[in-house]
Amino acid sequence: MSLENLGIFIDGQVMADANLATIDVINPATARPIKRLIRGQAAEVDAAVQSARKTFETKAWRRMPTAQRGQILLKISEAIRANEEHLATLESTDVGKPIAQARNDVRTTARYFEYYGGMVDKVLGTTIPVRWGALDMTLREPYGVSAQIIPWNYPLSMGARGIAPALAAGNCVVAKPAEDASLSLVELARIAHAAGLPAGAFNVVTGYGQEAGAALVRHPLVSHVTFTGSVATGSAIMKMAAETIKPVSLELGGKSPNIVFADADLAAAAAQIARVIVLNSGQTCNTCSRLLVDKSIHDTLLEQVLTKFDQVRMGDPLGGADMGPVISAKQKKAIEGFLATAEQDGATMTRHGHPPEDSNLRDGFFVRPTVLNNVRPQHRVFREEIFGPVLAVSSFSDEAEAVTLANDSDYGLNAGIFTKDVERAIRLAHEIQAGQIYVNGFGTGGSVEVPFGGMKKSGFNREKGIEGFLNYTQTKSVTFHFKTE
Ligand code: NAP
Ligand code: MG
């Protein structure tokens, strides 16, 4: 079968050099190849970085009037909205996420460009009182070339989470999407340039992390690195960035808890607990994959959660299923490996939902929503990020034990607290070591406005919100001396 090559996007153009090696793009719902990616290497990365640096040094982007730069980002946002169905279809097919979720991701992507487009001309410096005879002011300057290493679970929206503020602050970007899901990001670059972004401002090089990704992080003309993905790769990237003292922003996932007390609205809690496990087949960094529940309501709550999981219809992501496949055969195997060891350790496993009936999906990488009950805190399913639709359940006797269990993790991305006791919610929000705390719900209700990031091994620095913009600027202080007599 002859497959079309997806180009790489350098210097404002799609380049589909037929002489370069390629990687098959697999549709995870059918396990069949649908396209080919160019396997970018150091030479392609160098061309992209040179183009980004050249654009950074000309008047084309950072030196244009700030209002104009903002307007281009707003135009990109409009173009993303106009292409919603096209981008959502690409994302749904490539990642395996239900089309409704993919549409939502596209809207979030548009919001990033809108939000940061509106911020371009509003981030101010300060004047600092030093002494009579001197005037000091600060400037917020872009770094130069921003490298964005993007994961496969939310390529568009997580891509935009870093790309939009980096561009807004005046940087130029080279992005390396994951080889498992690159289609939408190349398309985003094309749409952004058609909407008025100058050539070289946003480049995309596809390929493997070890090749294109590492070459990008190491490139001497890259000045800042943003990475979302696993702890192991994040650590490797920090080491590579250390060679040339590049600042890095790391978002490394989590093993987040939902903590449910006896006084909570159990029906509302059960709905949220199940929803986040089903969302993107559990492949979301802030999935609350541990359920910590008060012993006295353990059975009642669990019954309600299992009822929700039993209703999940798995199937064609483009056809209205509640849950699609996981990203790859490798990911499915890793998840099944976790499940086998949990059962050996004495956890009780139940599997739920309706697997797809369509014979076309027979080989797809589907994993049923799975609950592991009575999980010991020592076990790896309590400690490690599984990144699949798996909920690990443990119980506690009192608030102190709940806090101890919640914090008994190398990760610290987020936590959910379900209780009607406001004082307890405030106390726990302070006690729990995590970058985000959700009380009686999941998420923030919006998506781009609130700073997001981790504590402990979940990473450092914040994306989203105003902090997300500042992350792409460096402060310069300028002092004027004047004669006083
Ligand atoms: P990963 O290795 O962390 O990959 C994330 C990104 O980094 C991809 O674009 C990857 O490219 C790239 N990369 C890999 N090695 C690199 C290197 N040496 N230098 C520069 N870039 C490099 O994640 P994965 O292997 O795809 O998934 C493994 C686990 O990571 C998952 O099971 C999950 O636990 C975790 N994960 C977390 C998140 C999150 O949102 N926090 C997202 C994705 C994965 P290639 O994939 O093309 O090699
Ligand atoms: Mg990978």
Side-chain angles (χ1 to χ4, degrees):
M1 186 175 42
S2 156
L3 295 170
E4 192 194 335
N5 276 6
L6 176 78
I8 45 187
F9 198 92
I10 300 181
D11 207 29
Q13 296 178 55
V14 181
M15 296 166 75
D17 188 337
N19 297 319
L20 292 171
T22 58
I23 304 167
D24 281 355
V25 177
I26 307 292
N27 175 343
T30 61
R32 287 197 277 274
I34 47 173
K35 240 184 198 311
R36 289 207 199 97
L37 296 181
I38 292 199
R39 182 174 162 182
Q41 307 276 352
E44 287 68 52
V45 167
D46 183 54
V49 173
Q50 297 287 355
S51 164
R53 184 70 208 183
K54 189 186 75 206
T55 303
F56 181 74
E57 278 163 5
T58 63
K59 290 193 173 140
W61 189 240
R62 106 181 125 122
R63 293 178 188 165
M64 78 171 35
T66 47
Q68 201 182 333
R69 198 160 78 225
Q71 279 155 9
I72 293 176
L73 294 179
L74 295 179
K75 286 214 179 78
I76 296 173
S77 171
E78 282 165 27
I80 293 166
R81 288 204 171 100
N83 280 282
E84 176 177 310
E85 208 50 29
H86 167 55
L87 285 167
T89 304
L90 276 181
E91 195 82 324
S92 173
T93 313
D94 204 8
V95 181
K97 63 177 76 198
I99 185 78
Q101 283 173 34
R103 288 188 191 114
N104 204 37
D105 290 0
V106 176
R107 286 176 212 136
T108 305
T109 304
R111 268 291 286 149
Y112 280 117
F113 283 91
E114 181 179 69
Y115 180 80
Y116 288 112
M119 199 173 284
V120 170
D121 50 0
K122 294 170 195 70
V123 176
L124 312 174
T126 46
T127 56
I128 302 172
V130 277
R131 65 177 172 85
W132 185 243
L135 171 66
D136 190 276
M137 65 176 193
T138 61
L139 305 175
R140 289 211 164 261
E141 296 196 340
Y143 280 98
V145 180
S146 153
Q148 302 274 336
I149 311 274
I150 296 166
W152 42 258
N153 51 349
Y154 292 82
L156 262 185
S157 62
M158 282 193 188
R161 183 173 83 181
I163 293 161
L167 288 171
N171 302 276
C172 293
V173 171
V174 180
K176 208 301 284 176
E179 96 264 3
D180 285 322
S182 293
L183 302 186
S184 59
L185 217 73
V186 176
E187 196 54 13
L188 178 66
R190 198 192 58 73
I191 289 170
H193 286 81
L197 197 66
F202 168 24
N203 308 271
V204 182
V205 180
T206 55
Y208 290 120
Q210 305 270 1
E211 297 174 351
L216 179 59
V217 175
R218 287 210 153 101
H219 199 293
L221 290 181
V222 165
S223 306
H224 185 280
V225 180
T226 296
F227 170 79
T228 304
S230 62
V231 173
T233 307
S235 169
I237 282 177
M238 253 181 114
K239 285 182 196 126
M240 287 188 270
E243 290 164 18
T244 43
I245 318 292
K246 293 182 177 93
V248 293
S249 241
L250 300 179
E251 203 264 87
L252 307 178
K255 190 72 192 180
S256 299
N258 258 328
I259 309 161
V260 187
F261 289 92
D263 65 349
D265 176 342
L266 297 192
Q272 292 298 333
I273 291 160
R275 184 173 77 86
V276 297
I277 295 294
V278 171
L279 179 73
N280 217 38
S281 305
Q283 304 162 117
T284 305
C285 45
N286 61 350
T287 299
C288 292
S289 55
R290 289 188 292 152
L291 170 59
L292 308 180
V293 52
D294 185 315
K295 272 197 176 88
S296 67
I297 51 154
H298 172 277
D299 294 356
T300 323
L301 179 70
L302 207 60
E303 201 183 304
Q304 295 189 39
V305 173
L306 300 191
T307 303
K308 294 276 173 206
F309 281 147
D310 282 335
Q311 292 161 359
V312 174
R313 290 168 305 111
M314 305 171 71
D316 180 2
L318 292 174
D322 301 317
M323 197 173 104
V326 297
I327 188 73
S328 61
K330 184 177 146 212
Q331 190 69 13
K332 178 172 176 172
K333 195 168 166 224
I335 297 166
E336 299 292 351
F338 272 109
L339 297 180
T341 63
E343 274 206 301
Q344 285 156 16
D345 195 60
T348 329
M349 178 164 77
T350 52
R351 311 200 79 167
H352 305 269
H354 304 277
E357 284 161 11
D358 184 348
S359 62
N360 196 33
L361 308 178
R362 198 184 42 224
D363 298 327
F365 314 128
F366 290 89
V367 179
R368 296 172 67 181
T370 304
V371 175
L372 297 167
N373 198 4
N374 303 319
V375 169
R376 293 186 313 123
Q378 295 76 17
H379 194 264
R380 60 192 284 249
V381 295
F382 184 95
R383 316 201 72 80
E384 292 174 37
E385 189 174 39
I386 299 177
F387 236 52
V390 181
L391 182 68
V393 185
S394 313
S395 39
F396 60 82
S397 307
D398 55 24
E399 186 182 310
E401 193 186 4
V403 172
T404 303
L405 284 171
N407 286 337
D408 184 10
S409 174
D410 287 345
Y411 289 104
L413 191 57
N414 56 284
I417 303 165
F418 288 87
T419 178
K420 290 198 181 118
D421 180 339
V422 175
E423 289 189 20
R424 172 153 64 198
I426 295 172
R427 214 161 37 236
L428 260 71
H430 283 89
E431 294 289 349
I432 291 170
Q433 298 150 2
Q436 288 69 225
I437 306 285
Y438 310 132
V439 180
N440 292 330
F442 178 78
T444 58
S447 50
V448 313
E449 308 85 356
V450 179
F452 183 88
M455 294 183 178
K456 302 196 276 186
K457 281 192 184 167
S458 290
F460 55 85
N461 282 341
R462 293 292 174 266
E463 303 198 77
K464 304 189 179 186
I466 297 171
E467 284 192 51
F469 182 100
L470 298 180
N471 192 25
Y472 291 100
T473 69
Q474 46 192 343
T475 305
K476 177 186 276 179
S477 100
V478 183
T479 311
F480 299 90
H481 297 273
F482 60 91
K483 290 202 170 66
T484 55
E485 75 257 344

